[in-house]
Amino acid sequence: MFLPLSGIRVLDITSIIYGPYTTQILGDLGADVIKIEPPEGDATRNLGPSRSPGMGAVFLGSNRNKRSLSIDLKKPAAKEALWRLVDGADVLVHNMRPRKMQALGFDPDAVMARNPKIVYGGLHGYREDGPYGDRPAYDDVIQGESGFANAFTVRDGAPMLTPSIVADKSAALLAATGLVAAVVQRLRTGKGVYVEVAMFESMVGYTLLEHQYGATFRPPEGPAGYARALSKQRKPHATSDGYICMLPYTNKQWQRFWEMIGTPERSLEPRFESIARRALNIDDLYAIAGAEIGKRSTAEWLEALRAAEIPCGPVNSFADLETDPQLVATGFFRPFQHPSEGAIEVPDAAFRFDRQSLPIRHHQPKLGEQSREVLREAGLSETEIDAVL
């Protein structure tokens, strides 16, 4: 299978989730990703259950299709080795603070002066030219600062963090998109590109896509906050024996739902007659629907709603996903034999090409597993490699 980033070499100087998830996407797309780690390794190597030291479950989730080079960039020989790798690289990605990267000597100006054709990816917490530019940032902090956590205040009366590292992963998706676009630009122009993707600004834009709402206009045409998403009644609906999520959205879908519960006249009520009117009366709408959902079983509702082509689904647990008919039929969970960890299973990449899943070309590497291999490819002698390692 020809992969779109085949032949593109990526130097991955990232850790935790934001950077590694970004570079895993590039690796899934075919890039040769060299994960450059300090002697102690990426912190996530020790996060979650493991079968051997440094191979924790969280690390396995975001580091496939990579090779590991472990060097100490505080040492001159290691820095020189990295410069040799820069000479032959197409992309360099890091998620250190700008000042730290500058102190190491690998800031964008220095790297692009050495290799004018390289795509340099700075995955920062905050845009570097603002007053927060050199602050450390983690998912929890960015959820709070971006307004994301405060959406729970509007709905529930207190801020909350979503039980997923949504800021890290959302920013990583945007970063991967920007880096792939930069590679395309470089192929067209022959010139390198400096791509900066900041978690804070990424999540503010992500959160405000719908929640800027009336504040989109100047002067505002209403308050910020998308009422439907913030409704207290927007939640999984309790059936007589479980929960479902369902969303009639169009006029026709709501008309079918009203007919299904024996109140077709509700589609003529002024407060529910259009999408705009329903948005203004969303709490009432969802409360009525929720009360009706409780009168039948989950199976009955799913059968009836699917027959009416109203989007719906059960509330799955993490364990339920392993046997979900759609995921089983499409082979979403990818089993493979890891050379040191044995049988493991990972979720598929988000995309397929020509109806084929992208291959797992490289297992998640042990710390420094390919150090000598990578340094030999950069042209270092065995004596030089010994000095670096």
Side-chain angles (χ1 to χ4, degrees):
M1 182 181 185
F2 180 79
L3 297 172
L5 294 185
S6 293
I8 299 296
R9 173 164 286 190
V10 177
L11 303 182
D12 171 13
I13 313 176
T14 72
S15 62
I16 315 296
I17 298 297
Y18 176 22
Y21 185 34
T22 299
T23 53
Q24 177 171 274
I25 294 169
L26 303 182
D28 286 346
L29 291 169
D32 174 20
V33 179
I34 299 170
K35 183 176 179 69
I36 299 169
E37 302 180 72
E40 65 272 18
D42 188 327
T44 60
R45 284 186 174 276
N46 301 306
L47 190 57
S50 64
R51 289 176 177 166
S52 59
M55 297 298 284
V58 175
F59 176 84
L60 295 176
S62 57
N63 286 283
R64 66 174 177 255
N65 287 328
K66 301 181 185 182
R67 298 188 288 163
S68 174
L69 165 63
S70 180
I71 55 177
D72 185 355
L73 288 175
K74 295 175 184 176
K75 295 182 178 180
K79 286 186 177 181
E80 180 54 33
L82 181 53
W83 281 123
R84 297 274 287 275
L85 288 166
V86 165
D87 291 339
D90 299 287
V91 181
L92 182 149
V93 186
H94 78 87
N95 65 341
M96 297 183 191
R97 283 179 277 171
R99 191 183 304 169
K100 187 173 180 180
M101 205 62 180
Q102 187 172 32
L104 285 172
F106 293 92
D107 57 278
D109 292 338
V111 170
M112 298 180 77
R114 174 87 175 218
N115 180 352
K117 294 185 177 181
I118 202 165
V119 170
Y120 187 104
L123 277 50
H124 301 150
Y126 310 86
R127 288 184 178 175
E128 61 184 342
D129 53 346
Y132 307 165
D134 211 55
R135 289 182 184 177
Y138 287 106
D139 184 279
D140 296 23
V141 176
I142 298 299
Q143 282 198 43
E145 290 185 320
S146 67
F148 192 88
N150 192 61
F152 291 93
T153 306
V154 178
R155 191 187 69 181
D156 302 326
M160 293 286 289
L161 298 178
T162 187
S164 179
I165 45 177
V166 66
D168 275 337
K169 293 186 290 185
S170 300
L173 294 170
L174 294 171
T177 301
L179 290 167
V180 169
V183 168
V184 173
Q185 179 174 318
R186 194 204 71 161
L187 291 172
R188 288 177 168 173
T189 66
K191 297 179 181 179
V193 187
Y194 173 30
V195 180
E196 183 187 17
V197 187
M199 286 178 67
F200 175 55
E201 283 82 358
S202 293
M203 279 302 290
V204 169
Y206 181 95
T207 302
L208 291 183
L209 184 143
E210 77 276 28
H211 284 308
Q212 194 169 10
Y213 214 55
T216 300
F217 305 94
R218 291 294 181 266
E221 294 291 333
Y226 177 34
R228 190 187 78 79
L230 295 170
S231 170
K232 292 179 182 293
Q233 301 296 332
R234 181 178 178 255
K235 57 187 177 182
H237 296 295
T239 66
S240 63
D241 62 355
Y243 290 88
I244 64 168
C245 288
M246 69 109 193
L247 180 61
Y249 197 75
T250 66
N251 290 343
K252 286 185 178 179
Q253 287 170 347
W254 275 110
Q255 184 176 354
R256 290 178 197 143
F257 180 77
W258 298 132
E259 290 170 354
M260 191 181 302
I261 64 173
T263 58
E265 67 277 4
R266 286 200 185 278
S267 62
L268 302 177
E269 290 186 29
R271 59 180 175 160
F272 300 148
E273 66 182 0
S274 68
I275 189 170
R277 296 295 301 172
R278 288 192 294 272
L280 294 173
N281 296 279
I282 200 70
D283 284 347
D284 291 346
L285 181 70
Y286 283 170
I288 292 169
E292 291 294 330
I293 295 293
K295 297 177 181 179
R296 305 185 200 176
S297 71
T298 296
E300 288 176 305
W301 272 117
L302 293 178
E303 181 180 3
L305 291 166
R306 286 168 179 163
E309 296 187 336
I310 294 173
C312 63
V315 176
N316 287 324
S317 68
F318 296 147
D320 291 334
L321 297 175
E322 295 181 11
T323 56
D324 180 272
Q326 172 74 12
L327 299 178
V328 171
T330 60
F332 180 79
F333 290 105
R334 307 285 300 280
F336 72 97
Q337 195 72 20
H338 192 286
S340 65
E341 307 312 299
I344 67 173
E345 190 173 78
V346 294
D348 202 356
F351 18 68
R352 296 192 293 185
F353 283 71
D354 294 327
R355 300 186 176 89
Q356 293 186 62
S357 290
L358 303 178
I360 299 175
R361 298 173 294 110
H362 295 295
H363 60 271
Q364 300 90 334
K366 283 197 161 187
L367 179 60
E369 185 175 343
Q370 292 85 19
S371 290
R372 289 188 173 274
E373 174 185 302
V374 168
L375 294 174
R376 286 191 195 105
E377 291 173 0
L380 276 71
S381 68
E382 292 302 316
T383 302
E384 290 173 314
I385 292 172
D386 289 339
V388 171
L389 300 180

